Amino acid sequence: MKEIEERLNEEKQRMASMTAPADFKNRLRSALDATPARKHKRRKPYVLMAAVSVLCFMLVSYNYNAVAFYGKKIFGFEEIMTGTMKDLNDKGMGQIIDKKTTLSDGTELTIDGIMTDANQLVMYYTLSNPQGVGDLWGDVFNPDKITGFFTNARAGGGMAKVNDSGTEIKGTTYFDPVSPFSKKLTLHFWQGVKNVERSITFPYDPNKAMQTQIKQSINEAVKVDQGKVTFKTITATPTSTVIEGKMNVDNFDRIHFGFEGVKLIANGNSVDNLGSGVSGSKFDLRFDGLPQELYSLELAFSEFVGYQKLAELIPLSDDTHHDLEGKDLWIKRVVTTERGVEITIETDDNLLLDDVSIQNGDKVTPLKTTINQRLEKKVDRFTSERTMVFDTNSMPDNLLIEGIHYVKKYNQKIEIPVE
């Protein structure tokens, strides 16, 4: 053991006596200088600028959707606000404008405030005139559109209420959504009996737009008798819920039913329908805002236009009732006039006969036109009475009906995932 300790002590003393060579520093510097320098990759200036621009865009877009602004309450419109809009106003989700202008007849127009989100802009306005405005309302003020940076928002519906003295109107008008990049907006409206176009510009703060709750695709289609209806997207904001889609339905406009039979169901309850619009093959369905606590969401495609092919040969006689595959048809009168043969019929309001003609022996005369249509209100439904005109003077034996357009029950459901 003693021998080992002596050897270790000798080695320790040897290492302590070691020194670096005199030219060690210079040799190390030479070796480092000889090593090729690593090239740092530099982004070109315009690439960096583009990245900054994209980042700024993302931040602005994010802020538009995410910032929930609690502003001041818009007063004086409680009587014409729906439940949802009243709740939002009570929470101060609107934007006070208080911009005034005087119309040609002396009526003062005040834009009191607006509420905006990704689905729409709601404008609250007042018309006041000590001489009275009630009788002149439609001639005095007709909102048309709102323009601004990247904005051309058309006016939709609205509601208004005249005070007891007829000197003031409180109203709302709904517009398409406005751009989050607009800092000021211009209301264009028509006024006076000559429909003179006027405008008024007011400031707009996009940061006061309300937060979008749901924006996602649906991409579900329902096959109907004469085509297909595809529901593409849903956008739910505090003020409304909009479902957009496309359709290719040959007989959509043959009856006046539209999308009345399509319901939005949230948490098992039907959401109020605010209306719908159709432009070419595109459509949008508007519903009230969704509940804050959302557990389930689905579209109920209950009823829509349908078509049934028939081959009915009906003997013609006054005041007779006929059954068209469960649908009522009354033949009320069959007469010959200077226009030809006229057959007055009555059916349910949303029932249209297709490919109609009359038969007299071997002679078949197609329908020329339909006149004198009028609605009748019955106890449980509306019926439509109209007169079909055929270009012939020969009294027919039979009425030929090849098909019917009608409201058909489809009873299909589309579940919309809720995250």
Side-chain angles (χ1 to χ4, degrees):
M1 179 65 72
K2 184 177 179 180
E3 185 178 357
I4 295 174
E5 290 177 352
E6 289 176 351
R7 293 288 301 273
L8 289 173
N9 188 42
E10 289 174 2
E11 188 66 19
K12 179 180 179 182
Q13 291 178 3
R14 189 185 67 81
M15 294 181 66
S17 64
M18 292 178 64
T19 59
D23 62 342
F24 178 77
K25 184 175 181 181
N26 293 333
R27 289 162 61 186
L28 181 61
R29 172 63 60 190
S30 299
L32 291 173
D33 291 344
T35 303
R38 178 178 294 178
K39 295 182 178 178
H40 295 280
K41 187 179 291 184
R42 297 172 62 90
R43 289 185 173 91
K44 294 181 180 179
Y46 66 84
V47 174
L48 181 60
M49 292 173 62
V52 172
S53 300
V54 170
L55 178 60
C56 291
F57 177 83
M58 292 175 64
L59 289 174
V60 171
S61 300
Y62 177 80
N63 285 338
Y64 176 81
N65 287 326
V67 175
F69 181 85
Y70 291 83
K72 295 180 180 179
K73 183 177 178 181
I74 303 172
F75 288 101
F77 295 87
E78 291 77 9
E79 292 186 71
I80 57 172
M81 283 182 172
T82 62
T84 297
M85 302 305 292
K86 188 175 184 304
D87 290 342
L88 294 172
N89 188 47
D90 288 342
K91 295 175 182 175
M93 304 297 280
Q95 182 175 162
I96 302 296
I97 301 298
D98 195 28
K99 185 81 173 185
K100 302 178 186 295
T101 188
T102 301
L103 306 183
S104 59
D105 70 333
T107 298
E108 184 180 69
L109 165 65
T110 303
I111 301 178
D112 298 272
I114 58 175
M115 287 186 183
T116 64
D117 59 28
N119 277 342
Q120 61 184 347
L121 180 149
V122 185
M123 181 185 72
Y124 296 87
Y125 66 90
T126 302
L127 294 168
S128 58
N129 190 331
Q131 306 303 316
V133 293
D135 294 339
L136 301 175
W137 173 30
D139 295 332
V140 170
F141 179 63
N142 286 309
D144 181 31
K145 62 183 177 181
I146 285 179
T147 61
F149 190 64
F150 287 140
T151 294
N152 186 17
R154 308 297 304 187
M159 59 184 70
K161 181 177 177 60
V162 185
N163 66 356
D164 292 339
S165 61
T167 57
E168 182 182 270
I169 294 174
K170 292 283 188 182
T172 64
T173 301
Y174 295 78
F175 293 85
D176 293 335
V178 298
S179 168
F181 297 104
S182 294
K183 299 297 184 183
K184 60 181 180 181
L185 299 172
T186 299
L187 168 69
H188 301 262
F189 59 93
W190 303 94
Q191 68 142 48
V193 294
K194 295 183 179 179
N195 259 346
V196 177
E197 184 178 12
R198 291 279 306 276
S199 64
I200 177 173
T201 299
F202 55 90
Y204 171 58
D205 186 351
N207 288 325
K208 296 181 180 179
M210 287 176 279
Q211 179 181 0
T212 298
Q213 297 169 319
I214 296 176
K215 185 176 181 64
Q216 65 186 59
S217 63
I218 301 175
N219 283 331
E220 294 282 351
V222 176
K223 186 178 180 181
V224 296
D225 286 347
Q226 291 198 323
K228 183 174 68 174
V229 181
T230 303
F231 299 94
K232 304 289 287 185
T233 62
I234 178 172
T235 303
T237 63
T239 65
S240 63
T241 305
V242 177
I243 294 174
E244 296 181 305
K246 296 180 66 176
M247 66 175 173
N248 181 16
V249 181
D250 291 341
N251 63 338
F252 174 76
D253 58 353
R254 301 309 301 271
I255 61 174
H256 304 291
F257 191 67
F259 284 88
E260 292 180 28
V262 181
K263 311 294 183 185
L264 182 63
I265 310 296
N267 298 342
N269 300 312
S270 181
V271 182
D272 288 344
N273 189 336
L274 303 180
S276 63
V278 177
S279 177
S281 63
K282 297 181 179 178
F283 67 84
D284 61 79
L285 312 180
R286 294 181 176 272
F287 299 90
D288 205 353
L290 298 177
Q292 287 189 342
E293 297 293 332
L294 187 63
Y295 310 109
S296 65
L297 192 62
E298 66 181 24
L299 273 173
F301 195 89
S302 304
E303 297 177 327
F304 201 69
V305 60
Y307 182 82
Q308 184 166 351
K309 191 171 180 58
L310 302 176
E312 294 287 335
L313 183 64
I314 298 175
L316 284 171
S317 181
D318 290 353
D319 298 322
T320 55
H321 173 267
H322 306 271
D323 183 275
L324 295 179
E325 298 293 333
K327 313 294 187 297
D328 294 317
L329 168 66
W330 291 272
I331 297 177
K332 308 190 76 169
R333 290 179 298 279
V334 182
V335 296
T336 301
T337 70
E338 67 275 9
R339 287 188 288 257
V341 172
E342 298 186 6
I343 303 176
T344 300
I345 64 171
E346 184 176 357
T347 67
D348 280 343
D349 177 27
N350 280 317
L351 177 69
L352 183 68
L353 308 183
D354 182 52
D355 199 2
V356 179
S357 58
I358 53 177
Q359 183 186 51
N360 184 351
D362 295 332
K363 183 180 179 182
V364 175
T365 305
L367 175 67
K368 178 181 180 182
T369 187
T370 300
I371 61 174
N372 299 333
Q373 181 167 348
R374 62 187 181 92
L375 293 179
E376 291 281 345
K377 188 177 186 308
K378 305 294 185 180
V379 176
D380 57 345
R381 56 182 169 176
F382 282 92
T383 62
S384 170
E385 180 179 299
R386 66 268 196 193
T387 299
M388 300 185 295
V389 180
F390 299 85
D391 191 14
T392 178
N393 293 321
S394 302
M395 184 61 73
D397 300 319
N398 298 301
L399 177 67
L400 307 177
I401 304 173
E402 299 293 340
I404 53 173
H405 305 276
Y406 66 107
V407 177
K408 178 178 179 178
K409 294 186 181 299
Y410 288 90
N411 293 328
Q412 295 193 35
K413 292 184 178 180
I414 297 174
E415 292 188 3
I416 301 174
V418 176
E419 298 180 356

